[in-house]
Amino acid sequence: MTVRQFKVWRGDESGGRLNDYQVEVNEGEVVLDIIHRLQATQEPDLACRWNCKAGKCGSCSMEINGMPRLGCMTRMSTFEEDETITVTPLRTFPVIRDLVTDVSFNYQKAREMPAFAPPTDVEPGDYRMQQVDVDRSQEFRKCIECFLCQNTCHVVRDHDENKPAFSGPRLFIRAAELDMHPLDARTDRKEIAQQQQGLGYCNITKCCTEVCPEHIKITDNAIIPMKERVVDRRYDPLVVFGRKILRRDQLTSTAVAEPAVHSGPVTVAEGAAPVNFSRPLSGPPGPEVNAAGHVNLNEMLSDRAAAASPFGDDITFPVDPKTLNYYHPGASDH
């Protein structure tokens, strides 16, 4: 048994500080063992969330020497004997007390995620899947919801204003799992990820993958494929060009008609921040059309929004091919 140096954050939502401790450490122990010994011997009121102590419940998430980790899976043998171990709460979420944070943001986002939609033409009990389809999504089902990926994601860690529009990597792997599920009847998973979950905010730095205790390849196997499927539908150059030259009523809308939620009205305590699971969803803007249902030529051909058309503003479809050139029709050298 040796005595090791620790710094543990104590405080609540109003503030706090790092306190210094000397705690006995036995061979083979993990950081959560030390927190328990600290509670038993020096700080009986130290708050710490934990449950299984086996790396499967995700409750004991904390930051150890600045790295988001599970306390029950971080062995003391990974640190030098003369090293001071600093234990702090998750930085992305509001502190309740000591090492316990309010992670309700993640559950609110989970309630906004549309659930699995069973196929309408298959009776319950008759569902059949190929093993390859099972294997594709099995990786994502290993998630223990420790929210370390949510905590380390700088989109919400460094920019609190992004939280209303961003669901985070934990929900992105759920969206990817359902989108690749062969029996899921919903066909708008990609649009929901783009428009309601803020998939476009992610710039794939792979921070979430690095801290995942279940070694889920969140970025490579979920977020990047999801982004590719969204881009294929939303930003394909032929599709974009078709949207511009076709009439509005000939286009198939990809926007979600209304938010997909599972909850009804939510009662909010007086003085608490409002919670709105049914916030209105604004779809992508459609092309501008005139009274005849034609797209404005200026919108289709100009490389700048609201820029002047090189052919004049009085030309609409159909356009005489003989008039299409790189000079204004009124130019003297035409």
Side-chain angles (χ1 to χ4, degrees):
M1 179 178 292
T2 59
V3 177
R4 305 287 293 273
Q5 297 290 330
F6 277 81
K7 286 182 177 290
V8 181
W9 197 89
R10 300 297 311 275
D12 52 27
E13 68 276 5
S14 62
R17 63 189 182 92
L18 286 169
N19 290 348
D20 294 307
Y21 300 99
Q22 290 186 335
V23 190
E24 294 180 344
V25 176
N26 297 314
E27 183 178 358
E29 287 187 325
V30 295
V31 171
L32 186 59
D33 291 324
I34 311 307
I35 297 298
H36 287 167
R37 182 169 294 116
L38 188 60
Q39 290 174 321
T41 59
Q42 302 181 48
E43 297 285 1
D45 61 342
L46 174 62
C48 175
R49 184 184 284 130
W50 71 284
N51 187 20
C52 75
K53 204 174 179 290
K56 293 302 178 184
C57 73
S59 299
C60 60
S61 299
M62 58 186 70
E63 295 195 9
I64 303 172
N65 284 1
M67 175 66 73
R69 301 173 182 264
L70 293 179
C72 68
M73 299 299 289
T74 306
R75 294 200 173 275
M76 290 299 302
S77 58
T78 61
F79 306 104
E80 299 293 336
E81 290 190 3
D82 59 348
E83 182 177 358
T84 299
I85 294 93
T86 302
V87 183
T88 56
L90 300 179
R91 300 184 188 182
T92 301
F93 308 112
V95 174
I96 297 177
R97 181 179 172 186
D98 299 338
L99 303 179
V100 178
T101 56
D102 180 4
V103 294
S104 59
F105 160 80
N106 305 287
Y107 297 107
Q108 293 172 9
K109 291 299 180 182
R111 295 178 72 178
E112 297 178 9
M113 166 71 70
F116 170 80
T120 57
D121 56 344
V122 182
E123 294 296 327
D126 294 335
Y127 297 162
R128 298 292 183 270
M129 291 176 60
Q130 297 291 330
Q131 186 62 43
V132 64
D133 292 323
V134 176
D135 294 340
R136 289 176 65 195
S137 61
Q138 189 63 33
E139 176 188 14
F140 306 137
R141 301 188 70 85
K142 295 192 301 181
C143 175
I144 60 175
E145 294 196 327
C146 60
F147 304 128
L148 294 182
C149 61
Q150 300 284 87
N151 174 68
T152 196
C153 180
H154 61 274
V155 176
V156 293
R157 186 184 181 104
D158 300 332
H159 304 279
D160 196 63
E161 68 276 9
N162 290 336
K163 285 186 177 180
F166 187 74
S167 294
R170 189 296 172 247
L171 277 303
F172 290 155
I173 65 172
R174 176 62 174 162
E177 174 197 345
L178 292 172
D179 188 51
M180 65 176 60
H181 200 298
L183 295 177
D184 184 54
R186 295 193 71 109
T187 60
D188 57 353
R189 297 287 181 188
K190 293 180 285 295
E191 288 73 24
I192 293 173
Q194 174 70 20
Q195 300 172 17
Q196 292 182 241
Q197 296 181 295
L199 180 65
Y201 281 80
C202 173
N203 53 10
I204 54 176
T205 57
K206 299 189 179 184
C207 302
C208 51
T209 301
E210 292 178 2
V211 300
C212 179
E214 288 294 321
H215 308 291
I216 302 172
K217 293 181 173 57
I218 301 173
T219 310
D220 292 336
N221 292 353
I223 296 179
I224 291 179
M226 233 3 220
K227 279 177 170 285
E228 290 173 344
R229 291 196 288 273
V230 169
V231 168
D232 181 65
R233 178 73 176 270
R234 189 177 178 87
Y235 298 107
D236 185 285
L238 293 179
V239 175
V240 173
F241 187 75
R243 286 175 177 168
K244 290 182 177 295
I245 65 175
L246 291 177
R247 292 171 53 178
R248 183 193 299 269
D249 57 6
Q250 294 174 327
L251 301 176
T252 301
S253 175
T254 60
V256 182
E258 58 184 19
V261 296
H262 300 291
S263 63
V266 179
T267 302
V268 180
E270 184 177 357
V275 179
N276 182 12
F277 295 127
S278 301
R279 61 183 186 272
L281 175 68
S282 57
E288 295 183 2
V289 297
N290 57 23
H294 295 151
V295 179
N296 192 307
L297 186 64
N298 179 51
E299 179 185 357
M300 188 187 79
L301 297 178
S302 177
D303 60 348
R304 293 174 292 148
S309 168
F311 306 108
D313 296 329
D314 57 343
I315 299 179
T316 57
F317 288 103
V319 179
D320 183 358
K322 296 179 181 179
T323 65
L324 293 178
N325 52 56
Y326 292 100
Y327 301 95
H328 193 281
S332 59
D333 56 348
H334 173 59

